[in-house]
């Protein structure tokens, strides 16, 4: 068996898989992120991530013999930032990926100090809320005692690799998002920049995601049940593992992840970049990808569910399905946590326009689904301009359980989507990485099998075309208002 574990924004999942891709057992635990201030998104690395790994393993090994495990891999949301002391104890809550927008000033400072052109030349993209470097600078500037006490820094998956093996490593895809510290051309750290940004903190050893980072220690075995000495791969950010598990192997293959955030990863033929997209190494050694992500998607639907008093999500989707395409003239901008691709604007804010007394829950949820899908179309149009023509669009993630969402995406984007039989998430790809990394299966092994294809409905697509043009005009027309309100929200500490 091969054990895959993924720490996501809304839940952590684990799976046991055989070498032919058959699922033996799964486990899941749900959690929430902390939003202590406007623009902040945090989580406790020890009390949530590591504790949930122990909980998931305990559940799986209560039903299955752990002696059958031959390899382990872990992925996680990212890139995140965890700073620890010399004993690897976290010194503050983990700062999450692009949904945490606190380091806006530090982005500007680093652009001025190092040169924006030079940063893009080496990293292939602009600094953004997705970048780890500005968040390191934020800690140094705002929490100097914490930074001074720090001895190591991690992302989500690398923190768990340390807990299980004792190794201090980071995978290439995650490192490539630690701008401005990584050179995308040479696939190595830029040591002179590390001194300017990370200060005294050492740089972790770089590995490819499926490379073995170390073996499970006796202490980790006592807490998780994973046998001591079992090899563990370096792991990576969940979206890249999702792409790997979905069969993204050839140039033009594009994975679309339906999760708390909407994310895509496209395999490239050769290195090319765009300042509004993220170029990064892929899971396989030497591979290169182009990616982008929205700041909210599934998390926005959860917000709407809370707004409706915790109503059953199945009922809400039924009401949305009964609502005509276009939600009877309702438009929603999904920038409830700023926006990543393609705006790169942490101060963008959500917007609902066209409301009348006639609109109800079904209209709002449908408008939410459509707003996310309009944003996705923007991303996909951009990647076709900057990257490769999309040859296959492979859809994965928990959001596919609601067929309505995938259909709206195809109708608005005009693109068919291939849905694999296994859509449980990155944990399945982690198991595949563990099987490949331990040499138990060949490096070209692909477990993806097609379950169905979601075809666009041209009649509905015609309805959406006019509304899409309106959607595109709303952000530039309201950007100044959004930025004013973002500044206002930063001053208000009561919430």
């Amino acid at each position: 068996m091969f054990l895959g574990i993924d720490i996501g924004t809304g839940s952590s999942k684990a799976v046991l898989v055989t070498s032919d891709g058959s699922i033996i057992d799964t486990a899941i635990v749900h959690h929430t992120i902390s939003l202590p201030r406007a623009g902040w998104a945090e989580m406790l690395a020890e009390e949530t991530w590591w504790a949930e790994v122990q909980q998931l393993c305990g559940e799986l090994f209560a039903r299955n013999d752990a002696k059958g495990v031959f390899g382990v891999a872990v992925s996680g949301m990212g890139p995140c930032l965890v700073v620890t002391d010399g004993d690897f104890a976290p010194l503050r809550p983990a700062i999450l990926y692009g949904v945490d927008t606190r380091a806006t000033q530090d982005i500007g400072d680093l652009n001025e100090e190092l040169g924006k052109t030079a940063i893009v030349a080496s990293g292939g993209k602009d600094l953004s809320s997705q970048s780890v470097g500005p968040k390191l600078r934020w800690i140094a500037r705002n929490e100097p005692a914490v930074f001074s006490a720090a001895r190591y820094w991690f992302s989500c998956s690398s923190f768990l690799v340390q807990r299980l093996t004792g190794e201090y490593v980071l995978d290439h895809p995650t490192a490539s998002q630690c701008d401005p510290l990584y050179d995308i051309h040479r696939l190595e750290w830029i040591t002179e920049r590390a001194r300017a940004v990370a200060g005294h903190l050492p740089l972790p050893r770089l590995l490819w995601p499926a490379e073995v980072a170390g073996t499970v220690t006796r202490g980790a075995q006592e807490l998780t049940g994973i046998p001591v000495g079992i090899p563990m791969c370096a792991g990576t950010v969940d979206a890249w593992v999702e792409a790997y598990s979905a069969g993204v192997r050839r140039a033009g293959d594009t994975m679309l992840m339906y999760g708390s955030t909407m994310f895509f990863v496209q395999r490239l033929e050769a290195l090319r970049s765009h300042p509004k997209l993220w170029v990064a190494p892929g899971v396989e050694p030497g591979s290169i990808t182009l990616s982008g992500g929205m700041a909210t998607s599934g998390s926005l639907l959860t917000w709407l569910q809370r707004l409706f008093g915790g109503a059953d999500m199945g009922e809400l989707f039924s009401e949305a399905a009964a609502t005509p395409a276009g939600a009877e003239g309702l438009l929603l901008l999904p920038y409830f946590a700023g926006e990543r691709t393609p705006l790169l604007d942490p101060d963008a804010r959500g917007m609902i326009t066209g409301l009348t007394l006639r609109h109800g829950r079904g209209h709002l949820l449908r408008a939410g689904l459509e707003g996310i899908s309009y944003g996705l179309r923007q991303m996909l149009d951009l990647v076709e301009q900057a990257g490769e023509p999309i040859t296959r669009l492979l859809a994965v993630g928990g959001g596919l359980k609601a067929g309505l969402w995938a259909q709206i995406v195809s109708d608005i984007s005009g693109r068919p989507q291939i849905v694999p039989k296994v859509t449980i998430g990155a944990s399945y790809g982690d198991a595949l990485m563990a099987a490949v990394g331990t040499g138990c299966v060949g490096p070209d092994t692909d477990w993806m099998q097609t379950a169905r294809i979601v075809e666009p409905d041209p009649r509905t697509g015609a309805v959406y075309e006019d509304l899409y043009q309106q959607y595109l005009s709303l952000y530039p027309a309201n950007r100044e208002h959004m930025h004013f309100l973002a500044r206002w929200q930063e001053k208000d500490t009561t919430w």
Side-chain angles (χ1 to χ4, degrees), residues 6 74-80 130 155 157 171 173-175 177 209 235-242 263 283 426 430:
D6 177 62
V74 175
S75 60
M77 59 187 135
C80 302
Q130 189 81 351
S155 191
S157 57
D171 63 281
T174 304
Q177 296 180 64
T236 187
V237 177
D238 52 9
W240 275 262
V241 184
E242 289 261 22
F263 205 93
V283 168
D430 291 323

Side-chain angles (χ1 to χ4, degrees), residues 27 36 39 41 60 117-119 130 177 190 213-214 231 261 282 296 369 434 436 452 487:
L60 287 178
T117 301
I119 291 172
Q130 189 81 351
Q177 296 180 64
I190 305 173
T261 65
T296 57
L369 292 167
V436 170
R452 70 183 192 276
R487 299 284 79 77

Side-chain angles (χ1 to χ4, degrees), residues 5 37 45 75 91 95 144 161 169 215 252 266 321 341 365 449 457:
I5 303 173
R37 292 181 58 180
S75 60
L91 294 171
I95 300 176
V161 169
V169 301
T215 58
Q266 184 186 73
T341 311
L365 188 67
Q449 299 179 51
D457 183 339

Side-chain angles (χ1 to χ4, degrees), residues 55-106:
Q55 181 180 344
L56 291 167
C57 288
E59 184 176 336
L60 287 178
F61 297 142
R63 300 190 293 262
N64 305 275
D65 188 353
K67 293 179 181 178
V69 175
F70 273 57
V72 185
V74 175
S75 60
M77 59 187 135
C80 302
L81 176 60
V82 184
V83 292
T84 75
D85 63 17
D87 295 322
F88 302 104
L91 294 171
R92 69 170 327 282
I95 300 176
L96 300 192
Y97 53 100
V99 296
D100 187 295
T101 60
R102 73 182 70 192
T104 302
Q105 176 183 331
D106 306 278

